[in-house]
């Protein structure tokens, strides 16, 4: 039964309340935070100014549980806010996401000043829980055991006017021994294709020109609706949407990566020549211990087929170093795959115990110094390969979608930044003609570094787009409101390139 407090507005007579969201973890969390922002703004809250650092009426932590010390990080941040809350009557703190789903009542016991704890399955309840906590003057802990409604039905405050995530499924049916995500997000639940395409069409109508199809195991899409070719059909359907210029997806699983997907990628004009294919390990022995249902030969076979069908495809990956029981020979097999696959970039992780996973209890945990040494060798090899692969781009003429906030030195260098079709980051000379994020420029690549490219000559062409119009319109509207705070991870749809050693994703795919 819904109480009267459930229907109470979140805004009082003193004016709208402000909110800040801090996000940790994977792309799924970033997209969930967009929904949390949409829910709060729908309830009358306004985003706190950039750099608020807890100086907001509501601070929401959207947490990740895949790192060994994730809880320490959360409680440290909560402790930092405790004195601020004591000085600010009416301030509320909410904790959601995977760690909240996992730890439940523990959060309130360790940090009794927290007002709301909610899980991954009921993010839509946040405004109601905040109001209930305010009225009842006690913490509200509500964790749903299964999905209440597909999250894409919720209001969404997207971080980009020109590029957007589109969730096609939630949950995961895999049982990887290092990953706790399936236990926290549940079994895979697919959206109906018509609902997905309707969302994409609505986004394009608003000016979005690039979408990234998102799922915990994106190419397993269809298993819940009984169609093994559903994902390739979805890609092809996206190719028929007028005005949609770029389609990407993340993250697939080698087990479910079928030939029909490769053909669809090659034959769909707006499917970008880019593939993120998590490897995790090159050793068949380690892959078996990880419960990864493919082996080295199968993985390299997929890479070979993709390259044959899409010669200019940029392939990236995730790799875990130091999984329990990993021998020097096992690690050499990983290096072998890296040399053979020639990844454009690899997001590498030192194995970290995920509490509640089988791997955390395995024998033969690798000493820290051994893991560190192997990690450094892998990073050095991948840096070398990334640079060599980027040098092959020199002299090519590429169309870039102008990006927002991706070039940290753009102001000092008088450059702008954009993404090539294969998602490589390119810094280019600022043209005389005005260009906006979402517009498209044509450039010639003149220099390559391991993690970016340069186009130092004059821009060869500028195409103003509906996406640029949408960015300009949104920017003008935002100028009349307090500046927003970022959600803690790279821009939606155009993730910033991170050094191989610094990526903070979960590496669970």
């Amino acid at each position: 039964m819904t109480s009267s407090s459930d229907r109470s507005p979140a805004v009082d007579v003193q004016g709208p309340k402000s909110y800040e969201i801090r996000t940790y973890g994977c792309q799924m969390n970033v997209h969930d935070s967009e929904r949390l922002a949409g829910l709060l703004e729908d309830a009358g809250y306004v985003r706190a100014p950039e750099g608020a650092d807890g100086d907001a009426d509501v601070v929401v932590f959207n947490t990740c549980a895949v790192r060994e010390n994730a809880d320490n990080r959360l409680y440290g941040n909560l402790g930092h806010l405790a004195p601020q809350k004591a000085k600010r009557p009416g301030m509320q703190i909410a904790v959601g996401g995977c760690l909240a789903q996992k730890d439940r009542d523990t959060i309130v016991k360790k940090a009794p000043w927290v007002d709301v704890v909610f899980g991954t399955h009921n993010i839509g309840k946040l405004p109601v829980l905040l109001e209930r906590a305010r009225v009842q003057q006690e913490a509200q802990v509500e964790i749903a055991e299964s999905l209440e409604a597909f999250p894409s039905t919720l209001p969404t405050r997207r971080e980009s006017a020109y590029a957007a995530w589109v969730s096609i499924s939630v949950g995961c049916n895999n049982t990887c021994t290092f990953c706790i995500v399936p236990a926290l997000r549940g079994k895979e639940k697919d959206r109906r294709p018509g609902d997905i395409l309707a969302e994409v069409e609505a986004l394009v109508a608003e000016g979005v020109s690039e979408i990234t199809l998102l799922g915990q195991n994106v190419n397993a899409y269809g298993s819940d609706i009984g169609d093994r070719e559903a994902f390739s059909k979805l890609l092809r359907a996206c190719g028929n949407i007028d005005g949609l210029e770029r389609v990407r997806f993340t993250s697939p699983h080698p087990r479910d990566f079928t030939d029909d997907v490769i053909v669809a990628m090659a034959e769909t004009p707006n499917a970008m020549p880019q593939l993120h294919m998590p490897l995790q390990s090159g050793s068949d022995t380690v892959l078996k211990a990880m419960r990864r249902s493919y082996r080295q030969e199968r993985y390299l076979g997929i890479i070979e087929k993709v390259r044959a069908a899409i010669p200019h495809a940029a392939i990236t990956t995730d790799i875990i170093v130091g999984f329990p029981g990993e021998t020097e020979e096992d690690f050499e097999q990983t290096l072998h795959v890296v040399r053979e696959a020639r990844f454009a970039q690899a997001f590498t992780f030192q194995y970290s115990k995920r509490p509640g996973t089988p791997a955390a209890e395995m024998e033969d945990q690798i000493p820290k110094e051994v893991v560190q040494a192997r990690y450094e060798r892998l990073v050095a090899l991948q840096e070398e390969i990334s640079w060599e692969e980027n040098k092959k781009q020199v002299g090519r003429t590429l169309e870039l979608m102008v990006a927002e906030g991706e070039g940290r030195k753009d102001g000092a260098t008088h450059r702008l930044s954009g993404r090539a079709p294969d998602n490589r980051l390119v810094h280019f000379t600022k043209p005389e003609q005005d260009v906006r994020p979402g517009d498209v420029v044509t450039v010639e690549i003149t220099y390559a570094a391991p993690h970016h490219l340069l186009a130092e000559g004059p821009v060869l062409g500028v195409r103003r787009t509906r996406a640029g119009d949408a960015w300009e319109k949104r920017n003008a509207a935002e100028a009349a409101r307090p500046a927003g705070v970022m959600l803690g991870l790279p821009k939606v749809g155009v993730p910033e390139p991170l050094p191989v050693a610094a990526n903070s994703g979960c590496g669970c795919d």
Side-chain angles (χ1 to χ4, degrees):
M1 180 179 295
T2 302
S3 68
S4 59
S5 65
D6 291 351
R7 297 189 297 270
S8 298
V11 181
D12 59 30
V13 295
Q14 296 179 346
K17 295 179 180 179
S18 60
Y19 75 89
E20 175 188 353
I21 300 176
R22 302 184 186 183
T23 308
Y24 308 95
C26 65
Q27 299 98 326
M28 196 70 73
N29 269 17
V30 178
H31 193 24
D32 281 350
S33 286
E34 290 186 320
R35 296 185 181 112
L36 292 170
L39 284 160
L40 290 171
E41 293 191 6
D42 201 47
Y45 293 86
V46 297
R47 182 173 284 201
E50 187 170 358
D53 192 26
D55 188 20
D57 294 300
V58 172
V59 179
V60 183
F61 291 87
N62 191 4
T63 64
C64 174
V66 301
R67 288 298 187 195
E68 184 177 11
N69 295 317
D71 54 348
N72 291 339
R73 183 179 186 184
L74 171 66
Y75 295 123
N77 286 322
L78 291 175
H80 175 73
L81 287 183
Q84 288 180 253
K85 187 179 182 189
K87 297 175 184 177
R88 183 171 183 148
M91 179 182 177
Q92 291 183 297
I93 299 173
V95 179
C98 289
L99 192 62
Q101 187 80 21
K102 173 177 169 287
D103 283 359
R104 305 173 185 243
D105 296 331
T106 305
I107 293 173
V108 174
K109 291 177 182 176
K110 289 188 175 182
W113 54 93
V114 168
D115 299 276
V116 171
V117 179
F118 62 102
T120 59
H121 298 309
N122 63 331
I123 63 175
K125 299 293 285 291
L126 176 60
V128 167
L129 294 172
L130 287 168
E131 184 63 13
R132 193 184 297 165
R134 185 187 68 81
V135 171
Q136 298 181 5
Q137 294 292 299
E138 63 180 13
Q140 301 295 308
V141 179
E142 188 168 309
I143 306 292
E145 295 300 330
S146 59
L147 194 66
E148 295 183 343
F150 204 91
S152 290
T153 63
L154 300 173
T156 304
R157 200 278 188 194
R158 297 185 183 271
E159 283 301 302
S160 170
Y162 56 91
W165 304 110
V166 175
S167 185
I168 69 171
S169 64
V170 295
C172 181
N173 293 335
N174 293 313
T175 58
C176 301
T177 54
F178 57 81
C179 181
I180 199 169
V181 168
L184 302 179
R185 290 197 176 263
K187 293 292 185 180
E188 181 176 326
K189 183 69 176 175
D190 295 336
R191 289 178 74 190
R192 293 172 53 188
D195 293 341
I196 297 168
L197 294 172
E199 181 180 357
V200 175
E201 289 170 348
L203 287 167
V204 172
E206 294 171 3
V208 168
S209 60
E210 176 180 310
I211 60 110
T212 301
L213 302 174
L214 181 64
Q216 218 74 52
N217 180 7
V218 70
N219 61 316
Y221 177 74
S223 62
D224 185 48
I225 56 179
D227 185 353
R228 291 183 60 84
E229 295 189 354
F231 185 63
S232 61
K233 293 175 182 176
L234 184 62
L235 281 178
R236 291 182 184 277
C238 287
N240 294 326
I241 297 177
D242 188 39
L244 179 59
E245 297 194 17
R246 296 185 173 192
V247 178
R248 307 185 191 277
F249 58 89
T250 193
S251 286
H253 191 295
R255 183 195 70 178
D256 301 299
F257 205 86
T258 48
D259 291 350
D260 61 295
V261 174
I262 298 173
V263 175
M265 289 176 65
E267 294 180 353
T268 305
N270 59 2
M272 293 294 96
Q274 173 218 352
L275 175 65
H276 184 74
M277 178 70 77
L279 169 65
Q280 307 306 6
S281 174
S283 162
D284 288 354
T285 301
V286 174
L287 288 170
K288 183 178 181 181
M290 289 178 167
R291 288 191 202 146
R292 301 285 287 181
S293 48
Y294 57 88
R295 299 296 178 258
Q296 180 187 121
E297 183 179 3
R298 157 78 172 154
Y299 185 92
L300 288 174
I302 294 171
I303 302 300
E304 184 179 356
K305 288 179 180 179
V306 171
R307 289 242 160 85
I310 314 167
H312 288 301
I315 301 174
T316 57
T317 196
D318 296 329
I319 300 173
I320 296 173
V321 178
F323 188 80
E326 180 188 72
T327 64
E328 179 62 25
E329 182 180 354
D330 292 326
F331 178 65
E332 287 291 344
Q333 288 299 307
T334 295
L335 297 181
H336 169 72
V337 174
V338 170
R339 294 187 185 99
E340 290 293 312
R342 300 196 64 79
F343 300 114
Q345 191 174 23
F347 300 109
T348 57
F349 307 86
Q350 297 186 36
Y351 171 73
S352 172
K353 286 184 179 181
R354 275 80 164 176
T357 63
E361 306 301 323
M362 287 182 177
E363 298 180 354
D364 298 325
Q365 299 284 329
I366 310 300
K368 172 65 176 176
E369 60 272 17
V370 175
V371 177
Q372 181 68 33
R374 290 176 183 170
Y375 178 77
E376 291 173 1
R377 288 163 58 195
L378 174 61
V379 169
L381 173 62
Q382 183 56 52
E383 287 274 306
E384 178 184 334
I385 292 172
S386 294
W387 201 358
E388 290 173 356
E389 291 301 306
N390 274 0
K391 287 176 181 177
K392 295 177 182 178
Q393 306 298 309
V394 174
R396 290 189 67 195
T397 298
L398 300 176
E399 276 199 340
L400 312 179
M401 182 176 290
V402 181
E404 181 179 26
E406 296 227 55
R408 298 183 180 93
K409 298 179 181 178
D410 281 353
T413 58
H414 303 290
R415 293 180 182 135
L416 297 176
S417 298
R419 289 282 176 174
D422 65 8
N423 211 36
R424 282 183 165 94
L425 179 68
V426 182
H427 305 301
F428 62 94
T429 301
K430 187 175 182 179
E432 293 184 5
Q433 183 178 347
D434 183 44
V435 292
R436 308 155 301 176
D439 287 339
V440 174
V441 298
T442 303
V443 301
E444 180 180 339
I445 304 304
T446 58
Y447 176 81
H451 301 291
H452 69 267
L453 303 171
L454 292 182
E456 300 163 297
V459 169
L460 304 178
V462 175
R463 176 164 59 87
R464 292 173 71 85
T465 66
R466 290 173 59 253
D469 293 343
W471 178 89
E472 189 170 30
K473 180 179 178 181
R474 177 166 167 171
N475 211 44
E478 291 289 340
R481 298 166 52 181
V485 285
M486 295 301 97
L487 294 184
L489 279 183
K491 291 285 185 181
V492 173
V494 281
E496 292 186 33
L498 296 174
V500 173
N503 182 270
S504 61
C506 67
C508 293
D509 302 303

